[in-house]
Amino acid sequence: MGNIRPICRSLVYIACILTIAFASSCTSCSNYEVSIQNTNDDKETSVKPILNVYIENSGSMDGYFSGKSDMRDDLYGYVSELKGSTSGQNLFYINSTIIPIRQNTEAFFMGLNANSFKAGGGNRTHSNIIDMMKMMLSKSNGNTVTMFVSDCILDLPSVNTKTFLDFEKTSLANTLRDYKNKHKDFGVRILCMQSSFDGFLFPMGQTAIKTVGKRPYYIWILGSNKLISKLMSNDSDAKLGSNLQNCVAYSDATSLPINIGKTKGPMSTNGVVNLRGGNLKFDLYVNFSSTLLDEKSIKDKGMYDISPFLDLQNVQKINYAGAKYSHVLTFELQHASKADNAQITIKKDMPAWVKSMNDETGDKPKTTCGIKYLIEGAKEAFDDDKPVTINLQISKK
């Protein structure tokens, strides 16, 4: 009789363990339905845009075209790559005015060197990026894409530099916002490039600084999201190779083409997937093209603000021609029994590289004076647009 109580206690203990284990497994054994609550079925446009390419030819840009020029070679390759996706291409110099380049693309870039660049004309001693942006956008419409190539250096005044930089930021935001309000489906891509450089920097209040080595410059692409994404559809960024350092993009897109399916299973035909047993993984098929984001940004998990009971496990590009969706995002339900409505939002945060590329003196060859304020201005132009959000309904069955 003396051994009965210990045996009973052991049986009770085992029963408790089994009960807890069973309870913990209930979530895994439950069935869940995940359905898409919002999608955008916009089709890709068949329109081929006119590409207007503007190259700033102020004096600070001279050094990019001395000797072997990465900028010349990369621009020629990039513009040539886009030719098949455009209905026409126009080349311009720009500074205080717009100067048409009468040569065809091949002849222009083949002959582009320090001397021909200096002979481009216009006021090469001073240019204002806000004024240039206004001039370019005044020549734009719903069938054009604008490409602006510049070192994006802001000429600082000798006093009140912070006030000046904030003013430039606000002026650019207003300029882009005014255009966006008149032209829906608008976006901006900014590519941070690097190139060989053999020339001078001209910091305010200092003598010119001889500079040899790699220098940053920027390619701004502005226009209809659909038209820009058409130019991106053939992975045109790859033509820029390792000289493409970073990218940031902003657009007025708020929803995307989306579908859902079981992980390693078929795509849904009705926007609903049923998860049974212990496998709580599912795939979202998303077309990111209208966001204008580059591949590195799309695959960065930090770009997404995700409901706590969803775990983003993988982002994979779809690499076959004619696909309706550009990427597959694999999720797993976490704490599924508490799940209800779920959201995945693409953040509009300023990437860290922008701050690291910025300086406010104009005498540092590896950075760009005031670039943070220009990109902040571009971002602010889209702050009133809701971020892209994917809404899911999760229900226990």
Side-chain angles (χ1 to χ4, degrees), residues 79-94:
V79 172
S80 299
E81 179 72 17
L82 299 177
K83 187 174 183 179
S85 300
T86 62
S87 61
Q89 296 182 344
N90 302 306
L91 302 176
F92 306 90
Y93 284 129
I94 187 169

Side-chain angles (χ1 to χ4, degrees), residues 266-278:
M267 194 182 303
S268 171
T269 59
N270 61 356
V272 178
V273 67
N274 291 296
L275 307 179
R276 293 184 173 87

Side-chain angles (χ1 to χ4, degrees), residues 263-264 281-284 301 311-316 328-332:
T263 298
K264 297 182 179 179
K281 292 184 180 181
F282 63 94
D283 289 339
L284 284 182
K301 293 182 181 180
D311 177 45
L312 176 57
Q313 300 196 328
N314 189 44
V315 180
Q316 183 176 351
V328 180
L329 282 65
T330 299
F331 289 89
E332 184 173 26

Side-chain angles (χ1 to χ4, degrees), residues 173-370:
N174 289 339
T175 298
L176 295 178
R177 189 184 296 113
D178 288 347
Y179 185 85
K180 178 174 69 73
N181 289 341
K182 298 174 184 176
H183 301 82
K184 302 303 180 185
D185 180 47
F186 178 69
V188 179
R189 297 189 85 214
I190 305 168
L191 309 182
C192 176
M193 302 290 298
Q194 71 170 4
S195 172
S196 52
F197 185 91
D198 185 355
F200 292 89
L201 296 180
F202 302 94
M204 182 62 65
Q206 302 181 42
T207 57
I209 301 173
K210 176 67 176 178
T211 301
V212 178
K214 295 290 187 179
R215 281 272 298 141
Y217 73 97
Y218 303 85
I219 301 175
W220 293 59
I221 303 171
L222 309 95
S224 158
N225 298 322
K226 290 180 180 178
L227 295 181
I228 296 175
S229 64
K230 190 176 187 69
L231 300 185
M232 295 168 56
S233 61
N234 293 324
D235 198 18
S236 54
D237 286 358
K239 195 67 178 178
L240 297 169
S242 61
N243 284 328
L244 173 55
Q245 302 293 290
N246 289 290
C247 175
V248 61
Y250 299 103
S251 83
D252 61 4
T254 58
S255 60
L256 305 174
I258 310 162
N259 205 346
I260 195 169
K262 290 184 179 180
T263 298
K264 297 182 179 179
M267 194 182 303
S268 171
T269 59
N270 61 356
V272 178
V273 67
N274 291 296
L275 307 179
R276 293 184 173 87
N279 184 5
L280 298 183
K281 292 184 180 181
F282 63 94
D283 289 339
L284 284 182
Y285 299 83
V286 184
N287 189 330
F288 283 96
S289 60
S290 63
T291 68
L292 310 183
L293 293 171
D294 66 322
E295 189 66 15
K296 183 165 66 173
S297 299
I298 292 171
K299 289 188 173 181
D300 179 6
K301 293 182 181 180
M303 279 290 294
Y304 305 92
D305 189 6
I306 304 171
S307 296
F309 36 81
L310 290 180
D311 177 45
L312 176 57
Q313 300 196 328
N314 189 44
V315 180
Q316 183 176 351
K317 186 177 181 180
I318 297 174
N319 285 311
Y320 61 87
K324 181 177 179 180
Y325 305 99
S326 63
H327 291 77
V328 180
L329 282 65
T330 299
F331 289 89
E332 184 173 26
L333 284 180
Q334 304 284 336
H335 312 294
S337 61
K338 300 179 181 179
D340 186 8
N341 294 317
Q343 288 188 333
I344 302 121
T345 300
I346 301 175
K347 299 177 183 177
K348 289 187 175 183
D349 295 346
M350 182 75 65
W353 67 263
V354 175
K355 184 176 180 180
S356 67
M357 289 302 299
N358 183 69
D359 82 73
E360 297 176 19
T361 59
D363 58 1
K364 297 179 175 61
K366 300 296 184 183
T367 56
T368 303
C369 183

Side-chain angles (χ1 to χ4, degrees), residues 60-78:
S60 64
M61 293 277 287
D62 289 349
Y64 291 106
F65 299 101
S66 295
K68 181 186 182 303
S69 172
D70 295 333
M71 179 188 280
R72 178 195 61 216
D73 295 346
D74 287 341
L75 287 178
Y76 179 42
Y78 195 45

Side-chain angles (χ1 to χ4, degrees), residues 8-250:
C8 290
R9 282 196 296 268
S10 297
L11 291 173
V12 170
Y13 176 76
I14 292 171
C16 290
I17 293 296
L18 291 173
T19 300
I20 293 171
F22 177 77
S24 299
S25 66
C26 282
T27 295
S28 298
C29 294
S30 298
N31 299 333
Y32 293 89
E33 182 182 272
V34 183
S35 59
I36 299 169
Q37 299 299 296
N38 65 319
T39 186
N40 180 342
D41 291 326
D42 280 354
K43 303 296 188 297
E44 291 186 6
T45 180
S46 60
V47 174
K48 288 187 174 183
I50 295 173
L51 179 65
N52 291 328
V53 181
Y54 298 86
I55 303 173
E56 182 189 356
N57 70 326
S58 61
S60 64
M61 293 277 287
D62 289 349
Y64 291 106
F65 299 101
S66 295
K68 181 186 182 303
S69 172
D70 295 333
M71 179 188 280
R72 178 195 61 216
D73 295 346
D74 287 341
L75 287 178
Y76 179 42
Y78 195 45
V79 172
S80 299
E81 179 72 17
L82 299 177
K83 187 174 183 179
S85 300
T86 62
S87 61
Q89 296 182 344
N90 302 306
L91 302 176
F92 306 90
Y93 284 129
I94 187 169
N95 44 58
S96 59
T97 188
I98 293 175
I99 306 161
I101 296 169
R102 304 301 181 184
Q103 298 167 287
N104 64 39
T105 301
E106 180 178 3
F108 168 70
F109 282 107
M110 289 293 289
L112 183 57
N113 55 43
N115 291 329
S116 65
F117 185 73
K118 292 175 184 178
N123 180 0
R124 302 185 68 250
T125 60
H126 176 74
S127 55
N128 181 279
I129 288 179
I130 311 304
D131 291 341
M132 289 189 286
M133 192 66 71
K134 290 178 179 178
M135 285 190 286
M136 290 183 291
L137 291 177
S138 72
K139 304 293 184 182
S140 301
N141 58 50
N143 293 321
T144 61
V145 171
T146 297
M147 180 185 295
F148 173 49
V149 182
S150 170
D151 58 6
C152 288
I153 294 174
L154 292 179
D155 296 328
L156 297 177
S158 57
V159 295
N160 298 323
T161 57
K162 184 63 168 63
T163 300
F164 167 79
L165 290 169
D166 286 335
F167 183 86
E168 293 295 284
K169 175 180 69 174
T170 301
S171 295
L172 181 58
N174 289 339
T175 298
L176 295 178
R177 189 184 296 113
D178 288 347
Y179 185 85
K180 178 174 69 73
N181 289 341
K182 298 174 184 176
H183 301 82
K184 302 303 180 185
D185 180 47
F186 178 69
V188 179
R189 297 189 85 214
I190 305 168
L191 309 182
C192 176
M193 302 290 298
Q194 71 170 4
S195 172
S196 52
F197 185 91
D198 185 355
F200 292 89
L201 296 180
F202 302 94
M204 182 62 65
Q206 302 181 42
T207 57
I209 301 173
K210 176 67 176 178
T211 301
V212 178
K214 295 290 187 179
R215 281 272 298 141
Y217 73 97
Y218 303 85
I219 301 175
W220 293 59
I221 303 171
L222 309 95
S224 158
N225 298 322
K226 290 180 180 178
L227 295 181
I228 296 175
S229 64
K230 190 176 187 69
L231 300 185
M232 295 168 56
S233 61
N234 293 324
D235 198 18
S236 54
D237 286 358
K239 195 67 178 178
L240 297 169
S242 61
N243 284 328
L244 173 55
Q245 302 293 290
N246 289 290
C247 175
V248 61
Y250 299 103

